[in-house]
């Protein structure tokens, strides 16, 4: 491995080591910061005297919520993005323009602004309109709630969770829609003409011919977008969704362990995203056996 290292690689590593050393010196020297790494494990897992078992504490609870929100938002974003991608390629001009307006609006406005717009004008209204808060509280008070808590966590916080999922999915669907559009347009015109020649409708062409080929081609950018969605999920901490970033802010406020908490949080995000990156890379290398 070392034989493959170029002198420039060694120089970059040396600079990074120096940078880390300088930052470490500034923290311990100039800031007079006292490291307390020993308290962090207890905020990941804690011993429950009642159940006599280890249970998730603040940071791990945040990780679990982040995974839940990212998973549900990615499914919803994929559905909405596929519809938007198809609309962008529709023959009807009005449909194309509506889809393009939605995509351009979201892709050219800062994410924080988009999050607040969707939260106050759409997501919160949906929660009230469907009476989700009362329904969630009813389940939280019932005895048969194990499945619900496994899927969504504490049902008393379900309204904020579902608001975060909706907001994140609406934001990410704009990027997924552009990926799907590019995939659809990458399929050659000959495929469309061949489908038309055997009497397929436009919907049948999309379902059986175009979309299967398009999705196969957009797997790499879609995988990257899913990883970006996990990192973007930290934004919904601004609307009080209790995911990893929100829990870290709470931990820092109560313990003042600023660097330990945020470095641990960064490590959790890295572990999740890196594991998914390796998984997607392996899936991309799978040979097509069809």
């Amino acid at each position: 491995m070392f034989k493959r290292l170029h002198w420039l690689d060694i120089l970059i590593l040396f600079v990074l080591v120096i940078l880390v050393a300088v930052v470490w010196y500034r923290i311990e020297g100039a800031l007079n910061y006292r490291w307390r790494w020993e308290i962090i494990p207890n905020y990941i897992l804690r011993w429950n005297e009642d159940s006599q078992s280890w249970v998730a504490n603040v940071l791990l609870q945040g990780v679990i919520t982040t995974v839940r929100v990212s998973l549900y938002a990615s499914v919803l974003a994929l559905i909405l993005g596929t519809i938007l991608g198809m609309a962008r390629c529709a023959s009807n001009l009005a449909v194309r323009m509506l889809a393009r307006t939605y995509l351009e609006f979201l892709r050219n406005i800062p994410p924080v602004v988009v999050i607040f717009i969707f939260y106050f004008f759409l997501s919160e209204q949906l929660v009230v309109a469907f009476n989700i808060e009362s329904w969630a509280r009813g389940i939280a008070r019932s005895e048969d709630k194990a499945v619900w808590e496994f899927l969504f966590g504490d049902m008393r916080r379900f309204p904020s969770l579902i608001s975060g999922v909706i907001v994140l999915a609406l934001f990410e669907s704009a990027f997924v829609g552009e990926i799907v559009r590019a995939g659809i347009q990458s399929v050659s015109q000959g495929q469309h003409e061949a489908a038309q020649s055997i009497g397929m409708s436009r919907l049948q062409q999309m379902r059986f011919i175009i979309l299967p080929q398009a999705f196969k081609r957009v797997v790499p950018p879609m995988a990257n977008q899913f990883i970006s969605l996990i990192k973007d999920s930290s934004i919904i901490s601004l609307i009080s969704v209790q995911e990893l970033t929100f829990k870290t802010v709470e931990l820092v406020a109560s313990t003042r362990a600023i660097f330990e908490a945020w470095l641990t949080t960064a490590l959790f995000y890295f572990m999740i995203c890196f594991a998914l990156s390796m998984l997607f890379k392996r899936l991309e290398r799978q040979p097509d056996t069809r």
Side-chain angles (χ1 to χ4, degrees):
M1 182 183 69
F2 292 105
K3 291 182 179 179
R4 293 200 297 264
L5 287 176
H6 191 264
W7 68 268
L8 185 58
D9 300 321
I10 298 173
L11 179 61
I12 292 173
L13 288 173
F14 179 75
V15 172
L16 287 175
V17 170
I18 294 297
L19 180 62
V20 170
V22 170
V23 171
W24 190 280
Y25 171 77
R26 293 288 297 174
I27 292 172
E28 287 205 336
L31 297 180
N32 196 25
Y33 187 79
R34 186 170 65 89
W35 294 93
R36 292 184 294 157
W37 283 107
E38 68 278 2
I39 70 172
I40 295 299
N42 189 53
Y43 287 100
I44 299 174
L45 287 171
R46 66 177 178 86
W47 179 257
N48 190 316
E49 295 291 344
D50 297 330
S51 62
Q52 291 294 301
S53 62
W54 291 97
V55 296
N57 206 351
V58 176
L59 289 176
L60 191 55
Q61 289 171 3
V63 171
I64 294 170
T65 302
T66 293
V67 171
R68 284 194 181 111
V69 168
S70 300
L71 181 61
Y72 301 146
S74 64
V75 173
L76 185 56
L78 180 61
I79 295 170
L80 294 175
T82 301
I83 294 171
L84 287 168
M86 293 173 62
R88 285 280 282 114
C89 301
S91 56
N92 187 288
L93 178 61
V95 173
R96 289 203 313 271
M97 291 305 297
L98 284 172
R100 182 170 182 178
T101 301
Y102 178 87
L103 295 175
E104 295 296 341
F105 176 78
L106 291 184
R107 291 171 63 225
N108 293 286
I109 291 181
V112 174
V113 178
V114 173
I115 291 295
F116 281 120
I117 289 174
F118 276 133
Y119 177 68
F120 289 112
F121 291 99
L122 183 59
S123 178
E124 189 72 6
Q125 303 305 317
L126 289 174
V127 169
V128 173
F130 290 99
N131 202 22
I132 291 176
E133 190 168 356
S134 298
W135 171 77
R137 286 178 179 175
I139 292 177
R141 288 192 293 264
S142 69
E143 296 182 359
D144 188 20
K145 59 181 180 180
V147 175
W148 292 102
E149 288 188 343
F150 174 77
L151 293 173
F152 303 108
D154 188 351
M155 290 303 294
R156 292 172 298 181
R157 297 192 176 100
F158 179 78
S160 66
L161 178 77
I162 202 67
S163 295
V165 169
I166 293 171
V167 166
L168 195 59
L170 290 172
F171 172 67
E172 295 292 333
S173 65
F175 299 92
V176 174
E178 279 298 280
I179 293 172
V180 172
R181 176 200 59 77
I184 291 173
Q185 291 182 344
S186 70
V187 179
S188 65
Q189 187 61 32
Q191 299 282 339
H192 295 267
E193 294 172 355
Q196 289 176 355
S197 68
I198 58 176
M200 280 189 173
S201 65
R202 187 168 180 81
L203 184 61
Q204 289 175 324
Q205 292 176 41
M206 280 291 178
R207 180 182 176 185
F208 297 109
I209 306 296
I210 308 303
L211 284 181
Q213 295 183 64
F215 276 121
K216 183 180 177 183
R217 297 178 183 184
V218 302
V219 166
M222 201 72 80
N224 289 334
Q225 190 59 42
F226 179 58
I227 293 172
S228 295
L229 185 149
I230 294 172
K231 293 182 286 187
D232 291 342
S233 67
S234 61
I235 302 174
I236 61 175
S237 63
L238 297 172
I239 56 174
S240 300
V241 179
Q242 300 199 2
E243 45 72 66
L244 182 54
T245 300
F246 186 90
K247 291 290 188 180
T248 305
V249 172
E250 286 187 332
L251 178 59
V252 169
S254 62
T255 65
R256 309 306 299 172
I258 301 171
F259 293 104
E260 296 92 331
W262 285 113
L263 288 173
T264 304
T265 296
L267 180 61
F268 274 125
Y269 277 115
F270 174 80
M271 289 169 60
I272 296 170
C273 295
F274 184 74
L276 286 173
S277 178
M278 293 297 101
L279 175 63
F280 289 136
K281 187 176 292 186
R282 185 168 184 177
L283 291 175
E284 289 172 23
R285 291 175 180 171
Q286 292 292 327
D288 189 358
T289 57
R290 289 178 300 174

